[in-house]
Amino acid sequence: MIIGKLQLLKYSENFFKLSKGYYGLDSLLIILAFIALVRVKSIESLRYSAPGEWGKLIGLDRIPEVRTLRSKIKQLTQDEGPQQWSEALCKEWMQSAPEQASILYIDGHVRVYNGQQTKLPCHHVARQKLCLRATTDYWVNAMDGQPFMVINKAVDPGMIKVIENDILPQLEKRLPTFVNAEELKSDPLLHRFTLVCDRESYSPPFFRRMKAQRVACLTYHKYPGENWPEEEFLPYAVTLSSGEQTQLNLAERGHCLSNGLWVREIRKLSQKGHQTSIIGTDYRSEMIPLAVARFARWSQENFFKYCREHFGLDKLVDYCNLSSG
C-alpha cells in the first residue's frame, strides 16, 4: 500500500499546483485512484456514495462533494501538467523495465462521440461495424498489455503518421538504450527496438524509413499470396507472454516487398490448415520469439476490452477538450 502510494504521488508536486484548501494534492490524487480501483466510472456517481466511508480510506472525515472535486480537477488540468506528469512516469517505467520496453505494441482505439457540442469526423468502429463520429487514442503497450503511453487524435491522420510524427519522437526521449552506437555501426542489420502493429501499418516505404532509423517493425502480411506447402512447417514448443506453454507449427522464408526491401516472413499453420503470415524487419532475433511477440498482440486487445468494461475507457472527458483539440 505504501509503495503504491509513493509511486502514485511521485513527481506530482513538480507538475501540479492546487490553491490552498482542506483537500490537498495528495488527498485528491488518492481519492481519484481509489475511485478507479473500485470501478466508479464517473465522478457524478459519487453523489450516491457515503462521503464519510470514503473519507476513512484516506484518513479524513469525508471526501469532497462532487462540485468541489470537479473544481479541483479543473485546476489541475488548466495547463500541460497532466501530460508532463504522464511523460515523466512513462520514462521511469520504461527505464525500470527495459525488457518490456524493447518490444512495443501500438494500436488505435476508437472512442465514439454521441453528443452535440462539437463536430468530429467519422471513423470506422470495427466492434460496431459502422462509421461514427469519434476520436482515436493510440496506445503504446508492453507485451503483457501494460500501458506505457497514449496519444489522442480528434482528427486521425492514420497510424503510420501518428507513429512517425508523435510516437517515435516521444519514444526517443523515454526509451532506455538497448544497443550502443558502436554496435549499430558494426552491424547494419541490428535494430534498437521493435514496434508491433496491425495491418494498418503495412507499408513498404514505412518499413524502409523505420529500418533507416534502426527500428524494427512486425506486422501481418497484407498480401500473403498462395499457401506454402505444409511440409515446410515444423512443430515448436513455445512459451507465450502469459507463461502458457503451447505448440506452434511454424515456417520461415525471406520475402522481397514491392520496393525491393527484404523482410522475414513467418507463417503459422493452424490445425484447420489456415496460414497466418507475419513479416518483420528484425533480422537478428530467432524465429520463435518473433512469432510469440506477434501473436501476443491480443494482450493489447484484452487491455482495451478490460478497460472498456471496468474503467469507462470509451467515456469522453469533457466537451471543451474536443472543441479545442
Side-chain angles (χ1 to χ4, degrees):
M1 180 69 177
I2 296 177
I3 295 176
K5 177 181 177 181
L6 292 175
Q7 290 296 322
L8 172 67
L9 303 179
K10 197 167 189 177
Y11 307 125
S12 59
E13 293 185 354
N14 297 338
F15 304 106
F16 297 115
K17 299 297 179 184
L18 272 181
S19 57
K20 291 185 178 180
Y22 182 72
Y23 298 102
L25 178 61
D26 290 3
S27 298
L28 181 62
L29 292 178
I30 292 173
I31 290 170
L32 294 176
F34 283 164
I35 289 173
L37 288 174
V38 300
R39 309 305 194 259
V40 176
K41 296 182 180 179
S42 68
I43 294 176
E44 191 68 23
S45 300
L46 290 178
R47 294 185 185 275
Y48 311 101
S49 301
E53 295 300 318
W54 276 101
K56 292 178 181 178
L57 292 175
I58 60 174
L60 298 175
D61 59 341
R62 58 180 290 140
I63 62 171
E65 63 178 13
V66 170
R67 183 175 61 179
T68 302
L69 195 54
R70 289 187 184 279
S71 174
K72 289 187 174 294
I73 292 175
K74 185 177 181 180
Q75 290 184 45
L76 297 182
T77 57
Q78 288 298 312
D79 51 26
E80 298 298 322
Q83 179 64 28
Q84 295 171 356
W85 186 44
S86 174
E87 291 176 0
L89 290 175
C90 175
K91 182 175 181 179
E92 176 165 315
W93 296 337
M94 288 183 166
Q95 297 285 343
S96 62
E99 68 285 351
Q100 291 185 324
S102 61
I103 301 178
L104 300 171
Y105 293 74
I106 300 176
D107 197 10
H109 176 74
V110 178
R111 288 189 294 163
V112 177
Y113 174 66
N114 297 308
Q116 302 296 327
Q117 298 297 318
T118 188
K119 295 181 180 180
L120 288 172
C122 290
H123 296 70
H124 175 66
V125 185
R127 59 185 178 275
Q128 298 185 29
K129 299 181 179 179
L130 293 171
C131 283
L132 303 170
R133 289 188 299 156
T135 66
T136 302
D137 292 331
Y138 283 95
W139 287 84
V140 180
N141 297 62
M143 184 182 290
D144 61 358
Q146 295 297 318
F148 280 123
M149 55 184 282
V150 61
I151 293 176
N152 174 261
K153 290 292 181 181
V155 180
D156 184 12
M159 178 181 288
I160 291 177
K161 288 187 177 180
V162 172
I163 290 175
E164 293 189 283
N165 298 334
D166 297 280
I167 295 178
L168 274 184
Q170 296 198 35
L171 291 180
E172 295 289 355
K173 295 184 293 184
R174 304 177 190 180
L175 280 175
T177 301
F178 300 107
V179 291
N180 57 48
E182 289 298 323
E183 292 175 308
L184 291 172
K185 185 177 180 181
S186 61
D187 188 349
L189 297 181
L190 198 61
H191 64 279
R192 295 183 294 147
F193 55 91
T194 301
L195 302 180
V196 183
C197 312
D198 59 17
R199 287 182 179 85
E200 187 179 351
S201 68
Y202 181 91
S203 168
F206 170 67
F207 298 151
R208 186 181 290 278
R209 293 195 298 271
M210 291 298 97
K211 183 175 181 293
Q213 298 185 49
R214 313 304 287 272
V215 177
C217 296
L218 190 62
T219 186
Y220 290 112
H221 198 327
K222 205 170 186 177
Y223 310 102
E226 297 181 354
N227 285 345
W228 294 355
E230 293 191 6
E231 294 76 22
E232 290 189 32
F233 294 85
L234 296 175
Y236 294 91
V238 302
T239 302
L240 304 180
S241 58
S242 61
E244 178 186 355
Q245 293 185 343
T246 186
Q247 180 175 289
L248 297 179
N249 294 317
L250 303 173
E252 179 179 1
R253 293 181 184 179
H255 179 77
C256 185
L257 298 178
S258 58
N259 62 346
L261 177 66
W262 276 94
V263 297
R264 298 173 65 178
E265 181 175 3
I266 300 171
R267 293 197 182 190
K268 178 177 75 73
L269 178 67
S270 70
Q271 293 181 350
K272 295 183 178 180
H274 176 72
Q275 296 184 13
T276 302
S277 174
I278 60 177
I279 59 173
T281 53
D282 178 346
Y283 304 101
R284 289 297 181 226
S285 299
E286 298 291 333
M287 176 181 64
I288 294 177
L290 283 181
V292 171
R294 172 63 262 182
F295 298 120
R297 200 189 73 83
W298 283 106
S299 63
Q300 192 175 37
E301 296 293 342
N302 292 336
F303 166 78
F304 293 149
K305 182 176 184 296
Y306 185 81
C307 286
R308 284 201 308 271
E309 294 178 356
H310 296 277
F311 296 105
L313 180 64
D314 288 345
K315 290 182 178 294
L316 300 178
V317 178
D318 54 35
Y319 297 135
C320 298
N321 287 347
L322 287 176
S323 60
S324 64

